[in-house]
Amino acid sequence: MRGLSTPVSQKWIDFAKYWLTQHIHNTDFRYKDKMPHHVADPYVWDESYQVYHTRLDDEHVILFNLMQELGENPDDVDLLNKNRDVYRDHFDYEEKQFMACGEPCDADAHKKKHDIFFKTLTWGAVVPITEEITEFVKNWLAQHIKNTDFDYRGKMPEIFAVPEPYKWDRSFAVFYPDMDNEHKPLFTCVADLEKTPEDATLLASCLKSYVDHFVHEQKLFLESSTYADVDKYQHINKHNAFLATMRGLSTPVSQKWIDFAKYWLTQHIHNTDFRYKDKMPHHVADPYVWDESYQVYHTRLDDEHVILFNLMQELGENPDDVDLLNKNRDVYRDHFDYEEKQFMACGEPCDADAHKKKHDIFFKTLTWVTNP
């Protein structure tokens, strides 16, 4: 970027847009859940803590509310005991889920963190509860959910409710626009078949939608170097097994198959497709605008990413503007410096050295670019 001069070439603009799109998703996302997270005040759960397991999310909401209430009523021994009971019940249920998942969920290490924390809550907390204890617990839970519980997201199969009416909603988003758009008619055509099960043309069209989507999706995840081979293999087998049931259908389509298809797609997206989130090449937006699919859940870094997108879009529209080119360089440099300070403190878990090298290589390119 330092070698750029105006007018900046469209070739470089396209490179920079592609680089930032892939970099946030494939590199910045590695420090998600590995750096200290902001602790809300008042202490209220929000969707940034979502683990996509209905019961566990519901229980996390209660844990937040109870600790906020205890902080406001530090002399209430019954409330302290209620906190202990609810934490214990939550840990017991959660541990049952992730111990069944085993090594992929880092189960043993997770349980040890629960045990250490619960000893503190049992022996270190007495009424009146000190502000030091409440702040410790609030911070522990906030960091624990995002830095530890997030490890089991998408790894523990859950039975998800089949939506009614049967249509796609944001809870099914995998944040790849092509995939999300292709998922929508998969819901619609099954719902339409339920209304007109005798429609052979609709059945053929629905089958084609599923086949075309599976072919496209498999092409994308097979090209991924980070989506595990075993997950690829199992994913394809699930597609083939479903198609085998669909190819054997004749009209009128039975309600039994309709119910099966509704259930299958609901569980499949949540428990299987969600495993490739952030592991496939990402679409580069046009116009080049940040959206929530790039969210790293670090307020300042997300805010800075928004600015980087906007500046690059503006430079693409004004390739002769040398001041705008220099502003891009300055803002990228400041962003990289701040971000590197955060993830270098995190170290190996954030793949810090490799991340910094990507910054360095990109910034050399940005330095050498010239206008236009």
Side-chain angles (χ1 to χ4, degrees):
M1 199 168 184
R2 287 194 176 109
L4 291 174
S5 61
T6 55
V8 180
S9 69
Q10 187 60 46
K11 181 179 180 181
W12 188 87
I13 294 292
D14 292 342
F15 157 76
K17 287 181 176 181
Y18 180 84
W19 182 91
L20 183 58
T21 299
Q22 309 309 320
H23 182 78
I24 293 176
H25 279 294
N26 295 325
T27 303
D28 288 355
F29 271 29
R30 292 189 181 184
Y31 63 61
K32 281 171 67 173
D33 318 325
K34 294 173 181 173
M35 297 193 293
H37 295 275
H38 171 72
V39 179
D41 186 20
Y43 196 58
V44 179
W45 185 95
D46 63 53
E47 64 181 9
S48 72
Y49 293 94
Q50 198 165 17
V51 296
Y52 301 108
H53 186 293
T54 305
R55 175 169 170 176
L56 294 175
D57 281 325
D58 290 345
E59 290 184 358
H60 286 155
V61 173
I62 295 169
L63 297 183
F64 271 73
N65 293 344
L66 281 174
M67 190 49 60
Q68 174 67 19
E69 192 177 349
L70 184 60
E72 295 168 354
N73 300 276
D75 296 303
D76 191 331
V77 67
D78 292 332
L79 189 54
L80 171 59
N81 288 330
K82 185 176 181 180
N83 266 268
R84 289 173 176 150
D85 291 342
V86 173
Y87 268 88
R88 184 67 271 160
D89 290 344
H90 168 69
F91 288 167
D92 288 344
Y93 175 76
E94 187 178 54
E95 287 166 12
K96 182 178 179 181
Q97 306 309 305
F98 66 63
M99 292 303 280
C101 166
E103 187 176 347
C105 293
D106 201 15
D108 291 336
H110 195 154
K111 187 177 186 307
K112 286 179 182 176
K113 292 178 182 178
H114 284 179
D115 294 343
I116 293 169
F117 170 80
F118 197 72
K119 285 180 181 178
T120 302
L121 190 60
T122 302
W123 306 111
V126 295
V127 292
I129 296 295
T130 65
E131 184 177 352
E132 181 182 8
I133 286 293
T134 56
E135 292 305 308
F136 163 76
V137 174
K138 287 179 179 180
N139 181 68
W140 184 91
L141 182 60
Q143 309 308 322
H144 180 77
I145 292 175
K146 292 189 174 182
N147 293 329
T148 303
D149 288 356
F150 274 25
D151 286 343
Y152 63 60
R153 291 200 304 185
K155 297 175 183 175
M156 298 192 305
E158 180 185 1
I159 305 302
F160 289 87
V162 175
E164 186 60 45
Y166 193 64
K167 62 181 180 179
W168 185 96
D169 61 47
R170 290 290 292 174
S171 72
F172 294 98
V174 295
F175 299 110
Y176 293 92
D178 286 351
M179 296 297 97
D180 286 329
N181 288 333
E182 289 177 13
H183 281 154
K184 294 173 185 178
L186 303 186
F187 284 81
T188 305
C189 75
V190 171
D192 290 343
L193 273 174
E194 186 171 28
K195 297 173 186 174
T196 55
E198 71 285 351
D199 190 334
T201 302
L202 176 59
L203 174 58
S205 173
C206 192
L207 173 60
K208 185 176 187 304
S209 294
Y210 273 87
V211 170
D212 290 349
H213 167 65
F214 289 167
V215 169
H216 186 194
E217 185 177 57
Q218 288 168 196
K219 180 178 183 296
L220 291 177
F221 69 61
L222 285 171
E223 293 173 351
S224 171
S225 60
T226 54
Y227 190 43
D229 288 343
V230 66
D231 286 334
K232 294 175 184 177
Y233 175 78
Q234 292 174 352
H235 201 149
I236 292 171
N237 282 347
K238 291 175 183 178
H239 285 174
N240 291 340
F242 177 81
L243 289 178
T245 71
M246 200 170 187
R247 288 194 173 106
L249 292 174
S250 60
T251 55
V253 179
S254 70
Q255 187 62 45
K256 182 178 179 181
W257 187 86
I258 295 290
D259 293 340
F260 158 75
K262 286 181 173 182
Y263 179 85
W264 184 90
L265 184 60
T266 299
Q267 310 311 318
H268 181 77
I269 293 177
H270 280 296
N271 290 323
T272 302
D273 289 355
F274 272 29
R275 293 189 181 189
Y276 65 55
K277 286 168 71 171
D278 312 325
K279 295 178 181 176
M280 301 194 298
H282 294 272
H283 171 72
V284 180
D286 186 20
Y288 198 58
V289 179
W290 184 96
D291 63 51
E292 64 180 7
S293 71
Y294 295 94
Q295 197 167 18
V296 297
Y297 300 106
H298 186 293
T299 304
R300 175 169 170 177
L301 294 175
D302 282 327
D303 290 345
E304 291 184 0
H305 287 153
V306 173
I307 295 169
L308 297 183
F309 271 73
N310 293 342
L311 282 173
M312 191 54 62
Q313 176 67 19
E314 192 176 350
L315 184 60
E317 296 167 355
N318 301 276
D320 296 301
D321 190 332
V322 67
D323 292 332
L324 187 55
L325 171 60
N326 288 330
K327 184 176 182 180
N328 266 267
R329 289 172 177 150
D330 292 342
V331 173
Y332 268 86
R333 184 66 272 161
D334 290 344
H335 169 69
F336 287 168
D337 288 344
Y338 175 76
E339 186 178 56
E340 288 167 10
K341 183 178 179 182
Q342 307 310 305
F343 67 64
M344 292 303 282
C346 168
E348 187 175 348
C350 292
D351 202 12
D353 292 335
H355 195 155
K356 187 177 185 306
K357 285 179 183 177
K358 293 178 182 178
H359 283 179
D360 294 343
I361 292 169
F362 173 80
F363 199 73
K364 285 180 182 178
T365 306
L366 190 59
T367 302
W368 297 334
V369 171
T370 59
N371 299 90

